[in-house]
Amino acid sequence: MARFIFVAGGVMSGIGKGVATASIGKILSARGFRVTAVKIDPYLNVDAGTMNPTEHGEVFVTEDGMECDQDVGNYERFLGVNLPRDNYITSGSIYQAVINRERNLGYEGRTVELIPHVPEEVMRRLHHAAAKAKADFVLVEIGGTVGEYQNTVFIEAARMMKMESPAGVLFVLVSYLPVPSVLGEMKTKPTQQAVRTMNSMGIQPDIILARSTHALDEPRKKKISVFCNVAARDVISAPDVHGLIYRIPLNFEKDGLGNRILEKFGIRKKANGKMKDWAAMVRRAERVATPIKIGIVGKYFGTGAFTLSDSYLSVIEAIKHAAWAEGRKPEITWLNSETYETDPRSIKELSKFDGIIIPGGFGSRGVDGKIRAIKYCREKKIPYLGLCYGLQLAVVEFARNVCKLKGAHTTEIDARTAHPVVHTLPEQLMNIQEKKMGGSMRLGAYICEFKKGTKAERAYGERMVSERHRHRYEVNNDYRDQLEKNGFIVSGLNPERNLVEIMELRGHPFFLGTQAHPELKSRPLHPHPLFRAFIKAAKK
Ligand code: GLN
């Protein structure tokens, strides 16, 4: 029987609830339990694919092609598993399912109501995710904070599940304790209020994770305990970790969280034997001192709710994983490609970096600057890794400047280019024309077969691999011969559909682009081979 641990937020959002959820999962899986994690987003969007990453952070993609919240990526990185599409729930997808069922007479003539039918659909989805993973524990993170109208039906679903199985459900509140600068001390009142709000919804938290800039002291632990009706040992300190999120499970264990959870469920304790590798990885990450400078070239996006590090979370984590494994301390700089358009001479700044990455992207802004950056890396032999758009634009640059195909472009930017070196497949053209944009890109895992003797093959050390995709455009096969004749070779191909997966430049220390998003599969304990090869080249 699966046990459910609901994680809700108090006081404010953006305090690392996803990483906290992932960390709880990690400490349970390190004890040998089978753990899965589900993210609930209270948006009406059916998936995250239609949301701008500056609004909502990175769009993560699962093996089976679900476009979801970046927290699903955190779960995968911490748990070291691939999660299925079932593990991402939005209000939109729940309402859609309820309405579809109603249209199909699935409610057999009854009145369909917000309560209980919507929470019932949520419960069905959660039980399904549990069964599919054969999980001992299911972590369920409810987006937003308690007290919002938006996530009420999900809190309600959690309450109903507790009623259904009192011994099988636990509630964790991730709350925030501010330290106002005028006072210089940690305040517990907002947390008390968050608990009261939860209580009014019929839920008493079993465990409180106290997020703050600093560790919780004993007097405050006691205060939260008394006012929030939670034993002091169930109030867990969760101080800032200054970038090294992988330390959090270790901190939680230091505060006894794993044992407490098992005790509460009445489960006999198991040692956390599988935490050793993880702890060693964290120590290595903390110890590496020799810097490696990586520049990420992209378009600048102002000051939205989400920072660049949120919008490119997996890329940044993949760089870190590979750098640590290679004994380097990653120094990542965001470079605004538009400055290479307005001030072409500033391109020289790229020579200060050990390696350059152009990550995934959409649309025309900053594209000319990216193409200039690619040209510079190609000519000055700076290690270059292109991810999706980063491959497509490398093809454009090479076609124009080496193959001398004047005006070559991707049809995403110039639909009438004389040389559509990157274009859409017919089925994608139909989607665009019919405005069927949600969930209709080439999404999820596709296999890639290598050409023998290439850098890509050597990096992976396998004959065939599978990587996750999220794009509408492809390298145009009509131009492959010309590109290859001039030295930009196709080193990986999708054999089922004869599509370019990876290309690399002959005679360059490392100039490689992939149509996929390898960053999505990098794990702290298993750095991605392409990122590792890139960092290796950058070290030189
Ligand atoms: N805009 C490009 C496409 O749709 C690249 C997408 C990406 O980088 N993920 O094909």
Side-chain angles (χ1 to χ4, degrees):
M1 189 195 70
R3 268 98 170 170
F4 291 85
I5 302 176
F6 286 91
V7 181
V11 181
M12 63 186 202
S13 61
I15 54 173
K17 190 150 40 82
V19 171
T21 305
S23 299
I24 298 172
K26 176 67 201 171
I27 62 185
L28 292 169
S29 85
R31 286 162 189 262
F33 293 104
R34 216 180 343 235
V35 180
T36 193
V38 176
K39 173 74 193 271
I40 296 179
D41 266 338
Y43 305 104
L44 286 178
N45 302 62
V46 173
D47 58 39
T50 54
M51 280 189 263
N52 187 328
T54 59
E55 284 263 331
H56 187 63
E58 168 188 88
V59 178
F60 191 80
V61 184
T62 59
E63 284 289 296
D64 53 6
M66 171 59 108
E67 297 172 279
C68 51
D69 182 77
Q70 59 185 19
D71 281 325
V72 177
N74 284 324
Y75 308 158
E76 286 202 351
R77 284 185 283 270
F78 278 71
L79 296 174
V81 297
N82 291 336
L83 295 173
R85 60 190 311 122
D86 314 75
N87 288 36
Y88 184 55
I89 297 176
T90 65
S91 301
S93 72
I94 293 290
Y95 288 140
Q96 195 177 48
V98 170
I99 290 170
N100 285 345
R101 176 168 298 131
E102 183 276 330
R103 292 288 81 186
N104 297 329
L105 288 180
Y107 292 98
E108 294 164 354
R110 274 166 294 151
T111 312
V112 184
E113 299 186 89
L114 186 68
I115 312 288
H117 296 110
V118 174
E120 271 172 13
E121 179 60 29
V122 177
M123 290 161 73
R124 212 175 352 252
R125 291 277 299 272
L126 294 177
H127 284 299
H128 173 74
K132 189 157 176 173
K134 298 192 178 68
D136 300 312
F137 291 100
V138 184
L139 276 302
V140 184
E141 179 191 349
I142 301 178
T145 44
V146 287
E148 282 169 24
Y149 287 119
Q150 300 232 55
N151 58 18
T152 306
V153 287
F154 299 111
I155 307 263
E156 189 65 3
R159 183 190 64 77
M160 285 159 71
M161 279 182 78
K162 175 91 180 176
M163 192 169 64
E164 188 184 81
S165 165
V169 173
L170 207 71
F171 295 116
V172 176
L173 177 70
V174 181
S175 196
Y176 189 71
L177 288 92
V179 185
S181 56
V182 277
L183 301 175
E185 63 172 68
M186 206 181 272
K187 302 305 284 180
T188 64
K189 187 68 61 79
T191 297
Q192 296 175 35
Q193 259 139 9
V195 170
R196 227 158 269 165
T197 305
M198 257 184 131
N199 290 160
S200 74
M201 302 171 95
I203 290 175
Q204 167 63 41
D206 299 284
I207 289 167
I208 295 178
L209 298 181
R211 282 283 299 114
S212 190
T213 47
H214 297 84
L216 208 58
D217 56 17
E218 274 313 307
R220 280 175 188 80
K221 213 174 226 195
K222 287 217 179 83
K223 195 162 179 185
I224 295 176
S225 164
V226 172
F227 284 90
C228 300
N229 203 19
V230 169
R233 61 182 186 282
D234 295 330
V235 181
I236 307 290
S237 175
D240 283 351
V241 287
H242 306 291
L244 193 59
I245 52 172
Y246 303 115
R247 165 152 286 292
I248 294 169
L250 305 177
N251 287 353
F252 282 177
E253 275 297 47
K254 233 189 272 167
D255 240 13
L257 182 58
N259 286 345
R260 289 303 298 145
I261 290 174
L262 297 183
E263 275 167 33
K264 282 180 182 293
F265 279 121
I267 297 175
R268 208 151 22 99
K269 279 174 230 160
K270 290 193 204 173
N272 61 354
K274 292 188 185 160
M275 200 62 113
K276 281 204 191 85
D277 294 352
W278 190 270
M281 175 270 297
V282 171
R283 272 197 304 276
R284 198 177 323 122
E286 280 168 342
R287 235 183 267 144
V288 284
T290 319
I292 189 150
K293 292 198 177 78
I294 304 299
I296 303 182
V297 178
K299 65 182 170 196
Y300 175 75
F301 28 81
T303 48
F306 281 81
T307 59
L308 289 166
S309 48
D310 280 309
S311 305
Y312 288 94
L313 185 66
S314 293
V315 176
I316 290 168
E317 293 307 308
I319 296 171
K320 290 183 191 168
H321 304 158
W324 296 333
E326 289 295 326
R328 289 292 184 275
K329 183 185 166 82
E331 278 179 18
I332 301 168
T333 308
W334 188 262
L335 303 164
N336 178 2
S337 64
E338 285 156 283
T339 55
Y340 308 142
E341 297 166 8
T342 51
D343 174 17
R345 274 180 316 179
S346 65
I347 198 85
K348 284 199 204 92
E349 70 175 347
L350 296 181
S351 60
K352 289 190 299 208
F353 294 91
D354 300 311
I356 296 292
I357 291 181
I358 293 189
F362 294 84
S364 61
R365 193 157 61 81
V367 156
D368 288 336
K370 288 183 192 176
I371 292 173
R372 279 182 201 179
I374 292 168
K375 179 167 189 272
Y376 194 84
C377 291
R378 180 174 58 76
E379 291 177 344
K380 304 286 180 202
K381 305 227 184 291
I382 300 170
Y384 172 75
L385 178 61
L387 305 170
C388 204
Y389 217 14
L391 162 73
Q392 295 174 356
L393 296 178
V395 168
V396 170
E397 189 278 322
F398 195 82
R400 287 182 185 174
N401 299 325
V402 181
C403 305
K404 302 292 175 205
L405 299 170
K406 212 165 154 248
H409 220 323
T410 159
T411 56
E412 178 173 358
I413 309 299
D414 179 0
R416 277 193 286 260
T417 167
H419 296 290
V421 289
V422 176
H423 69 164
T424 44
L425 300 178
E427 76 254 27
Q428 282 300 342
L429 208 57
M430 224 153 70
N431 286 333
I432 296 170
Q433 279 159 0
E434 291 172 13
K435 283 209 152 74
K436 286 189 182 149
M437 305 304 260
S440 67
M441 283 189 243
R442 184 175 162 209
L443 289 169
Y446 285 86
I447 54 172
C448 164
E449 218 166 34
F450 298 112
K451 183 176 279 173
K452 286 216 173 62
T454 55
K455 279 204 182 85
E457 189 208 26
R458 246 173 292 139
Y460 279 97
E462 276 167 90
R463 210 178 55 79
M464 199 156 76
V465 294
S466 150
E467 292 285 3
R468 299 183 196 170
H469 289 245
R470 181 174 186 254
H471 56 101
R472 260 181 234 289
Y473 296 80
E474 309 279 349
V475 176
N476 186 342
N477 282 338
D478 293 343
Y479 289 90
R480 253 161 64 185
D481 276 351
Q482 277 187 78
L483 295 165
E484 294 208 282
K485 249 185 238 143
N486 286 288
F488 201 12
I489 57 173
V490 177
S491 44
L493 204 61
N494 174 265
E496 296 151 323
R497 305 183 58 186
N498 188 28
L499 293 172
V500 167
E501 290 287 338
I502 303 181
M503 293 185 73
E504 62 187 60
L505 200 59
R506 216 179 270 143
H508 187 290
F510 191 95
F511 186 100
L512 183 148
T514 163
Q515 189 55 80
H517 287 283
E519 68 273 18
L520 301 177
K521 286 177 76 172
S522 181
R523 309 270 161 83
L525 296 182
H526 298 281
H528 193 282
L530 274 188
F531 277 84
R532 209 151 167 186
F534 167 68
I535 295 288
K536 262 193 189 132
K539 267 163 82 172
K540 292 183 189 144

